[in-house]
Amino acid sequence: MQKKSHRCSRVVLAVFLLLLLLLLSVGVPNAQQEETTAVPEDTSAQAPAPPTNVKAYDTPNDNGHSITVTWTLSADDGAGRKNVVSYEVLRSASPDGEFELRGMAPAGENIFEDKGAKEKSDANYFPPHKDFYYKVRARSDGRYSESTVSAPAFAYGQWYHKGKTPVVVAVLLFSTFCLVFITVARKGKKLYIRPLAGIEAVDEAIGRATEMGKPILYILGLGSADMIATIASFIILGRVAKKTAEYQTPILIPCNDPIVMAVAQETVRAAYLEAGRPDHYKEENIFYLTSMQFAYVAGVNGIMLREKPATNFYLGKFYAESLLLAETGSLAGSIQISGTDEIAQIPFFVAATDYTLIGEELYAASAYLGREPVLLGTLKGQDWGKAAVMIALLLGALAATFHFQFFLNLFTVKL
Amino acid sequence: MSFYERMMNLDRRWIYLVIGLVVVVTAIWSFTVPLYVTPEVRSIYDYVESLMPGDVLMIGVDYDPSALAELHPMTYAITRQCFARNIKLLLCCLHQNGPGMVEQVIAEVAKEYGKVNGVDYVYMGYKPYPGITILAMGQNFRIPFPEDYYGTPLDSLPMMRNITNFDNVRAIINISAGSGTEYWINYANGRYNAKLAIGVTGVMTSDYYPFLQSKQIFGLIGGMKGASEYEYLAAKGGYISKEKDQLVASKSMPIQTTTHVVIILFIVVGNVGYFMSKRKKQG
Amino acid sequence: MRKTLPIAIVAGVGFFMLIQYFIPLEEFETLYEWALDWTMVIGCFAMALGLYSLTNVMVNKVRRKSPGWGYSLVALGGLVFMVFVGLVPHYQESLKYGTLFMDIFTYIYIPIQAAMFSLLAFYIASAAYRAFRARTILATILLVSAIIIMLRLVPLGPLSPINQWLVNFVLTVPNMAAKRAFWLGVGLGASATALKIMLGIERGYMGRD
Amino acid sequence: MSSELIGVWIGAFLTLGIFSFLYKDNPFYKFSEALFVGVSAGYWFVVTFWQYFLPKLIDNLVLAYTVLTSQGRVDYHWVYLLGGGLGVLMLLRLFPTVGWLSRWSLAFIVGTTAGLQFTRYLESNGIKQVQGTILPLIVGGSLNTTVGNIVIVVGTFCGLIYFFFSKEHKGAFGGAARVGVWFLMITFGALFGYTVMSRMSLLIGRMDYLFQIWLGLY
């Protein structure tokens, strides 16, 4: 077995070198560009032709405090005398009243969004449902030429953001996948899930702590309760705490955020209750340390070296501190199980801990540990989501190769 | 325990000690490492070398003191190279907290080379909204910057006499710590076809390689390493010198190199130990 | 009240937050802003709770004279002193440059933080030494890729351009692909978790009694 | 001795305290650690008070009160009482009999997170990434880009297969999953190697602090 893996690694090295040579033969790109030097333009002192066809309309997909203005470029913008430098957009409440300057657009642009504040107290308040008239003037070295006044337009808010339709579709599609498989699972159909090494190690790790008579350290990461990774970690904590309650192994949870501390207390208390051992729950084991990244790490490192926990869990949101924690834990001789959705920290967890839940595996872990059919149903839903993404990728690649732009537009979210 | 097994289970404190010693020793007994200069840095240096005295180069300096360590060395090396070769400089700053800092650099280097404001260089100062500003500069520098940083109208500066827009500068080098770079690429190069190169922070570097491949930029200086490559070239060209303490980025590069070598050696040693101890067991 | 109301609140607030994303109307925007402000207000009160928890642990250690209680005293001292010099001066004055509060931050907090952060330089070396062994194909790939990237800082003579090209290739191609797959997976996993929370399928974190 | 010099000496002392941890846990480190935890918790509490508690709650309520007394009308700022109420519920955790009331506030926060992040993740981690991966497989005139694009699409595809939970990694499916893991490993290795430089910079910075600023050696 060992010999085989030995040979395998050599094969990989060889393939690597071959690939290297192959890619080299493709050639290193060489950046070179023709220089273009043009004669400075001759801008005459005459005023440019005015912009025409000025239109104003309510800005779509907004809260109702803005109007969009469009126009046809002046004949001297980029052509003719080429002397337009910018456009200025003016607004008035009546067609022959006083116009005030609302903003500028550079030459070549033919659209401007006149946006104001929504608070009445704000100096730049933009009243909705009120008619406004617009005109646009082209500017060239202090000379102006004005367009005619536009038809009136008023601003109003919308009930639906049309640019976000792809997200609606994604929400509906994904929710349907999950709900369908939850129903299927509830009906008692057995769903297969493949084994995950990190999950299988959880039981073993808790058992080891019990044997050694040492506590378990559970780190919920640096995130607050406003991050899904932290919430996923709460759910896993519930499962882990239930087991520690059964084994009567103490669980230490130093927290980086007071709200996280409160939720962790609720979670662990519930788990102990479920395991039938509410009397073993110790609230003082779940405490707040500090919210500052490295101070928190310093404190946790101290706990690791002095309490010598048998097992450390690092599940949730982690940043640069990942390696500081994992190295100290391995120095203390603990078994370590880690997981995060921060890709930049995964390499350090992979290098310094025994098991790592990579990205989506962190979110799947609660279902794995719970083994309840409903949860396995959502896992199946996630897989269908991935399948949908993969189909979209393939179709998209083909569409892009053959220049079907419309397919790309399906995935464009306009915010 | 065999030698190899002991090597594999080396107390990690030895590693800490070696790393610490390597950093200190390299810092004290400083030497220069023959650096491989990447083509994307060399192309910028070579381009500046190819300019004739009197040509105008534009530098957009878009960073604030927080990115100083990585980007300042680039700005210094390029301005020194230009002034030494009598190339004229046109500068602007599109980063909110940067304008004062840029002024210091340009004033300091100009003094070194006896260059005169308005004749050999012009610093136009700061304007917000990089996108709009760059678009407007493509029309005429005087639209966003009617006056220079010191309040003198651009029209009354001798250097600006024949300079209207990007067409009159040979190339633009944007040294940036923010998203302004995208605007330079999309507008200055994309719309006005200006010849553009960029210098960015280490973390931004990999995001901008694709623009190099698509030839939208002709050069790229990435982070501390790119800066030290440029300094290396500039020092070789005689524009900056170690004696005057002008190689700032390069100073920490030998430490980076030695520590990287040491870590790679550690990995190699660990693997040798691993394979040897396994062979022993099997044999 | 104890069990169902919290789950109902999660579902209700969650659903509102979900739909307001698609509704640009001013009223929804305002409700959204209030909700965010309230979570911050709750966080402020929770902060007091956190401080109570921390001092409780420390005071207990000192009172019981458990091992290392002297250090708990140091931590308590730092905490009390900081809160005192931070809150006693006039409105927000203490956050300005040059106050005793900021001096302590600059001369005590910042150096320790920087030192803590720089420990990573040592740890990254030791982690590389222990973890990068060519035990399996996967470990070998990891190791080779890391070495290629690290070699960019090492003069290799004629091999340097090849290495540089490889570095660019790894960063722009396989790195991009893996990150995309990773992020897509995380996106689906996180959404599924959010959905489970909103539907009340997962509710163990909300207490049970 | 100026106050700045004292500051540098204290800083250097504490820096060495943290570094001594590399040898082993010792009183010097324990002191620095305890001070660090205490000072940082105090700092954060003060910042929370001035920058969140005051502007987000007290200022709004004061405004509501002023409008009420000066203009005699009830304005919308009073809704902040509700937020404040949810906050006060948190404090009830200190009393075991009514502590469960704090679950309402916790539920509010968790619900907000779930609803907000659901759409956010589907948009930025789902749709945006699909959009970014839609690349032409053949790019005329550039073999480099063609090869690169094909590898990216294949790599993303295989990476997604690796994350399948409900299908056994066997046969061709297993093979693709394996390729996916290879891509992940290349990336993890690259990220590791790439980070070394910035971590070394941090150490160089600290060494400069000790030898240059504190001891003035060079």
Side-chain angles (χ1 to χ4, degrees), chain B residues 7-248:
Chain B
M7 194 163 93
M8 271 181 67
N9 299 315
L10 190 68
D11 189 328
R12 62 190 85 199
R13 280 176 290 195
W14 288 110
I15 299 173
Y16 301 156
L17 184 69
V18 171
I19 292 289
L21 279 180
V22 164
V23 170
V24 174
V25 167
T26 322
I28 295 170
W29 171 56
S30 69
F31 51 89
T32 41
V33 189
L35 202 63
Y36 167 67
V37 181
T38 50
E40 54 268 26
V41 173
R42 186 181 289 277
S43 64
I44 299 180
Y45 178 83
D46 288 348
Y47 185 80
V48 177
E49 282 296 284
S50 75
L51 296 179
M52 305 301 284
D55 280 349
V56 180
L57 184 76
M58 177 163 189
I59 307 181
V61 191
D62 306 343
Y63 57 92
D64 67 351
S66 67
L68 191 137
E70 283 180 280
L71 300 180
H72 239 34
M74 303 180 195
T75 312
Y76 270 107
I78 296 173
T79 44
R80 287 199 171 112
Q81 182 191 7
C82 289
F83 281 158
R85 305 198 64 246
N86 292 319
I87 294 161
K88 297 186 179 190
L89 285 181
L90 177 64
L91 300 105
C92 70
C93 177
L94 305 180
H95 196 297
Q96 203 177 350
N97 303 322
M101 180 189 74
V102 178
E103 204 272 334
Q104 278 175 7
V105 177
I106 190 75
E108 181 193 330
V109 181
K111 210 172 141 198
E112 277 171 31
Y113 291 89
K115 296 295 177 186
V116 184
N117 178 26
V119 179
D120 303 300
Y121 70 93
V122 170
Y123 176 41
M124 300 188 290
Y126 164 77
K127 274 278 157 354
Y129 310 116
I132 294 174
T133 311
I134 294 167
L135 273 175
M137 281 196 286
Q139 295 284 332
N140 192 328
F141 290 122
R142 290 159 188 82
I143 302 169
F145 298 104
E147 297 168 347
D148 74 355
Y149 181 76
Y150 310 95
T152 323
L154 285 197
D155 283 324
S156 61
L157 296 171
M159 188 186 116
M160 295 304 284
R161 205 168 294 146
N162 293 317
I163 296 178
T164 317
N165 54 31
F166 296 148
D167 292 339
N168 313 114
V169 300
R170 298 298 303 266
I172 304 168
I173 300 174
N174 172 229
I175 300 170
S176 163
S179 54
T181 312
E182 308 248 324
Y183 294 111
W184 283 104
I185 294 173
N186 290 334
Y187 294 156
N189 173 270
R191 187 175 279 202
Y192 295 111
N193 210 17
K195 199 171 168 65
L196 179 71
I198 60 174
V200 292
T201 58
V203 287
M204 288 164 70
T205 311
S206 63
D207 296 340
Y208 286 94
Y209 269 114
F211 294 107
L212 202 64
Q213 272 168 12
S214 60
K215 302 191 176 173
Q216 284 164 282
I217 51 176
F218 73 91
L220 171 67
I221 314 178
M224 195 70 103
K225 180 169 179 281
S228 68
E229 288 170 29
Y230 205 95
E231 284 184 348
Y232 170 80
L233 290 172
K236 233 172 79 177
Y239 303 119
I240 58 178
S241 77
K242 206 175 163 183
E243 287 68 43
K244 289 188 208 149
D245 208 18
Q246 290 167 331
L247 277 82
V248 187

Side-chain angles (χ1 to χ4, degrees), chain A residues 34-328:
Chain A
E34 280 297 307
E35 283 172 52
T36 46
T37 25
V39 196
E41 284 158 7
D42 173 37
T43 41
S44 73
Q46 271 175 299
T52 51
N53 201 15
V54 176
K55 285 191 184 119
Y57 55 88
D58 170 55
T59 308
N61 305 327
D62 76 339
N63 60 4
H65 295 280
S66 123
I67 287 177
T68 302
V69 183
T70 62
W71 58 90
T72 305
L73 294 183
S74 151
D76 293 325
D77 183 356
R81 278 195 289 271
K82 286 191 184 178
N83 60 351
V84 175
V85 287
S86 62
Y87 293 100
E88 294 180 356
V89 178
L90 305 124
R91 182 183 83 176
S92 169
S94 73
D96 36 44
E98 188 141 329
F99 278 80
E100 67 167 321
L101 181 66
R102 293 294 295 175
M104 283 168 53
E109 297 264 311
N110 62 351
I111 187 162
F112 176 77
E113 192 191 333
D114 182 13
K115 198 170 160 52
K118 65 175 173 169
E119 290 85 14
K120 284 202 178 89
S121 52
D122 198 299
N124 192 26
Y125 174 66
F126 197 119
H129 302 289
K130 185 180 169 196
D131 272 340
F132 282 113
Y133 299 82
Y134 282 88
K135 60 186 180 185
V136 180
R137 62 189 185 199
R139 200 194 118 179
S140 164
D141 292 336
R143 288 162 190 278
Y144 298 98
S145 54
E146 277 186 2
S147 71
T148 49
V149 177
S150 74
F154 63 89
Y156 60 98
Q158 274 75 37
W159 270 98
Y160 173 63
H161 194 302
K162 287 195 186 114
K164 290 178 178 172
T165 305
V167 186
V168 176
V169 174
V171 166
L172 291 178
L173 196 69
F174 186 64
S175 307
T176 316
F177 284 153
C178 290
L179 292 177
V180 164
F181 285 105
I182 288 172
T183 329
V184 170
R186 273 214 175 113
K187 280 189 182 145
K189 189 165 182 280
K190 258 206 139 357
L191 298 173
Y192 169 83
I193 49 168
R194 75 175 165 90
L196 272 185
I199 300 291
E200 279 160 16
V202 169
D203 269 324
E204 179 203 325
I206 298 173
R208 181 171 174 256
T210 316
E211 269 168 38
M212 295 171 71
K214 284 182 177 169
I216 285 173
L217 184 71
Y218 194 105
I219 307 291
L220 286 148
L222 228 61
S224 180
D226 62 352
M227 287 173 177
I228 292 283
T230 314
I231 292 184
S233 185
F234 288 142
I235 304 174
I236 303 171
L237 172 64
R239 316 268 189 246
V240 170
K242 198 178 153 199
K243 289 190 174 124
T244 62
E246 283 159 5
Y247 291 127
Q248 302 191 29
T249 307
I251 182 163
L252 296 177
I253 312 177
C255 297
N256 173 62
D257 179 277
I259 290 178
V260 168
M261 173 193 80
V263 181
Q265 286 171 348
E266 290 292 331
T267 311
V268 175
R269 201 205 331 251
Y272 273 68
L273 202 69
E274 202 185 349
R277 302 190 186 277
D279 46 317
H280 282 95
Y281 168 68
K282 283 207 187 79
E283 187 152 296
E284 68 263 28
N285 281 351
I286 304 163
F287 54 93
Y288 171 77
L289 212 49
T290 171
S291 301
M292 311 287 271
Q293 185 182 18
F294 289 103
Y296 176 70
V297 176
V300 173
N301 280 357
I303 294 170
M304 279 193 227
L305 288 186
R306 281 150 228 160
E307 308 282 336
K308 297 250 186 273
T311 305
N312 301 337
F313 287 94
Y314 310 107
L315 300 169
K317 208 75 174 162
F318 287 88
Y319 303 102
E321 74 283 358
S322 61
L323 185 63
L324 283 172
L325 293 170
E327 271 288 303
T328 313

